[in-house]
Structures are given as C-alpha cells and as structure tokens.
Amino acid sequence: MNDNARFATRAIHAGQQPDPATGAIMTPVYQTATYAQPSPGKFIGEFDYSRSANPTRTALEANLASLEGGRHGLCFGSGCAAMDCVLHQLSPGDHIILCDDVYGGTNRLFHRVYDRHGIKISLVDLTDHDAAAAAFRPETRLMWLETPTNPMLKVIDIAAMAELCRAKGAWLAVDNTFATPVLQAPLSLGADIVCHSSTKYIGGHSDVVGGALLTNDDAIHEKLKFVQNSVGAVPGPMDCFLLLRSTKTIHVRVDRHCQNAGKLAEHLVEHPKFPRVVYPGLDSHPQHAVAKKQMCGFGGMITAEMDGGLDDARRFLERLKIFTIAESLGGVESLIESPAIMTHASVPADQRAKLGITDGLVRFSVGIEDIDDLIGDIEQALG
Ligand code: P1T
C-alpha cells in the first residue's frame, strides 16, 4: 500500500503485512506477555513486554492512526482509559474547558475523579464561539469536546475551536466516537489529539470494549505513550485482533448507518409522537451548516423527545422488537436507550435539565438492518 492510498484501502491494509513467519494474511493474535531475549537487554524484534507493546496492538495502533490521518496511535482497554491518559498529562491548578454535553462517563471522569486532584473544569456550550473564547484562563491547558455530542448531537466547529486553542497555547482534544474517522478528520482541522471509544463504530459489533488516542504531534505522542506504559490500561491482543478485523469494513458499515439514520430521522420528524427530533443531517438542526462543512455524512445517531414523558418512552422502548434497549452504540444492530436513566444518569439533574436531557428523551443507535424493518418496528411499538 502506498502513502497516498485512499480511506477504504487504508482501512483494510494500514499497519498490516502478511505475517513474516508464516505468510498469514491476518495479523496473528500474539497472545504473549513477554518476549525471549537472546542476551539481557537484546531483543529479537522491537518487543520486550506486552504492556509496553504487542505486535497485534502495534498493528491496530498503526491502522487507527492511518484512518485518522495521524502519525501516531495508542490503544487502551476502554474509551475512558484513553481519556484518562490525556487527563494524566495535567497538574493540580490546570484548567480544562469541557464541552457541556458529553457522555455521562466522561462527565464523571472529569468531575468526580480529576477535580479531586485539583484540576479545574469549566463546562461550556462550545457551539457558542463567544462563550468558548471567554472561557480561557491563563492556566487553561486543554479543551475537550465531542462532536456530534452525546446525547444531544450538538455539532461543534472543530477548526474554530482549534484556532482559539492555538492562540491560547492549549491542547484541543476531540472525541470522534460519534462521527468516526469515516465522516470527520479532526486532526486535519487542527485538533492536537483525537480520542475514540473503539467499543462503538470502530469495533462495530458490540463485542469489544476499547479506546484509542491519535495524534500528529511527536512530543504529545511521547507524553501519552509514557503514561500508557506507566499506567498500563492497555487492551489484550485478542481485542486488538477483533478491532483490526472490524476496521476493514468500517467505511461500508458507516455508510449504511448514515443512510438508515437519515431515512429514520425523516420518518420521525413527521411523527406526532416525536415533537423534537435531533439529527445533524436535518435542515432543522441548529448546526446543520457546520455539520455539512466538517463532516461527509451525518452519522448513525438520532435523539428524539417523546411527547408523553418517561412513561410513554418506557412503554415505547419495551415494545420494540428489533431495537434492543441497551447502553452503547455504533454496532451493526440497532440499540435504543433512555439517556436520563441510563447513559447520563450520573450527570447531575440540573445539568441534564439545562441540556435538554429530559425523561422523555430517547437515543437511537441506528444499525444496518433493513430500514423498512426498522421503521416497521417503531411503528408497531407506537401503535
Ligand atoms: O465505554 P468506553 O469504551 O469506556 O467509552 C467511553 C465513551 C467515550 N466517548 C464517548 C463519546 C462515548 O459515547 C463513550 C461511551 N458511551 C456509551 C457507553 C454510551 O452508551 O453512550
């Protein structure tokens, strides 16, 4: 594969060559903790201990870096572990600007783990450029955002935030989990670090928990790698193998997720049971123009408000037969959840209310089943 290969080619080949020992075309599961040394301190290859590096993980790290247009990749045992590696770069007294709508576990990690260590956090609506600019302090080291956000699907202008961060000497980290590298390339828009919960679209089959960090900056990479090795929240080789297998189809899967979600969003908008439907591809989305500018598809997630509150939402969810009630997203199978009770239950109630995470809100992770069956499932559950 040459360096100019396009996305679909890189998805299948980047980081992987036939195994030098056997010619196996899939990178093997190097299920080993350690590596023989012919003499103390002399290695046969580049590996000495699997917390530091493992060939299956190295292949995945190179593959994901290539998909994000980055020079460096690091993989972790979960998306939260990947975020934690970035937060470990900060010191007491440092300040973070965090976008106000993020995964509940992200909110919990920042607010209930790191603020005990003297890190100051400001929650800011980063769709508001003036509010973002005003949030910087002399001690601001990091801006952390998701786009589209979880669960309200706000779309934040990455290039505009990168410009603000550059001017102030702060790092910009973008959680690209919802958009995927198929639809959005934050590093090319000026982000310093891209984060993924690879549990989601990268894995795509709801069978692995994992995380990743990608960067183009050699110095940032060295700092992150030091913490990755020192803390050791690394994925095992079998999980890396499954993720490598998944990235080979990510462009095909995400394309179908987008098609199905687009059709379902258009359907829900017409339905009186859903007075509010949020999908970045709808003209009615407040940041539809930003989404069109920085994404090349609008993703597989839809958030919608039901008119009858929690009781109605609960009844609707329980009656679905194809959509499964579950946390997580991004798998080939359609999932649905109630953010207020499930993924965002740990977010304080007043913050949820401010963001519009009401009890009647439902979040669809639209899978790649036949769209007519998915729409039929929703109709029968509402009927
Ligand atoms: O679950 P884990 O792999 O640790 O990833 C955490 C995470 C990070 N970033 C985003 C945008 C996420 O959505 C998540 C996990 N989210 C869910 C489990 C969920 O259902 O929203």
Side-chain angles (χ1 to χ4, degrees), residues 226-241:
F226 175 78
V227 171
Q228 182 203 38
N229 184 42
S230 304
V231 173
V234 292
M238 185 64 198
D239 283 355
C240 293
F241 172 86

Side-chain angles (χ1 to χ4, degrees), residues 186-241:
L187 296 178
S188 75
L189 298 171
D192 299 291
I193 300 169
V194 166
C195 174
H196 276 284
S197 167
S198 34
T199 316
K200 312 298 183 314
Y201 291 99
I202 287 177
H205 297 76
S206 304
D207 52 6
V208 179
V209 173
L213 296 176
L214 304 312
T215 183
N216 263 322
D217 185 306
D218 298 347
I220 292 178
H221 173 67
E222 284 311 314
K223 288 176 200 278
L224 296 172
K225 191 173 163 54
F226 175 78
V227 171
Q228 182 203 38
N229 184 42
S230 304
V231 173
V234 292
M238 185 64 198
D239 283 355
C240 293
F241 172 86

Side-chain angles (χ1 to χ4, degrees), residues 340-359:
I341 295 177
M342 296 168 68
T343 50
H344 291 70
S346 65
V347 177
D350 59 330
Q351 199 181 322
R352 283 206 308 267
K354 232 168 103 187
L355 288 166
I357 307 176
T358 58
D359 290 350

Side-chain angles (χ1 to χ4, degrees), residues 20 61 66 78 81 95 97 118 124 143 150 155 166 171 174-175 196 203 218 248 258 321 353 359:
E61 290 177 338
S66 172
S78 70
H95 173 246
I97 299 171
V124 182
M143 177 187 278
N150 182 0
V155 177
R166 223 178 2 260
W171 290 352
V174 175
D175 184 329
H196 276 284
D218 298 347
K248 291 181 191 294
C258 291
K321 294 191 164 73
D359 290 350

Side-chain angles (χ1 to χ4, degrees), residues 140-170:
T140 304
R141 290 271 317 277
L142 174 70
M143 177 187 278
W144 186 284
L145 61 88
E146 297 175 1
T147 181
T149 62
N150 182 0
M152 298 312 296
L153 304 177
K154 295 190 201 186
V155 177
I156 296 166
D157 187 330
I158 297 172
M161 293 303 113
E163 203 180 310
L164 287 178
C165 288
R166 223 178 2 260
K168 301 285 184 183

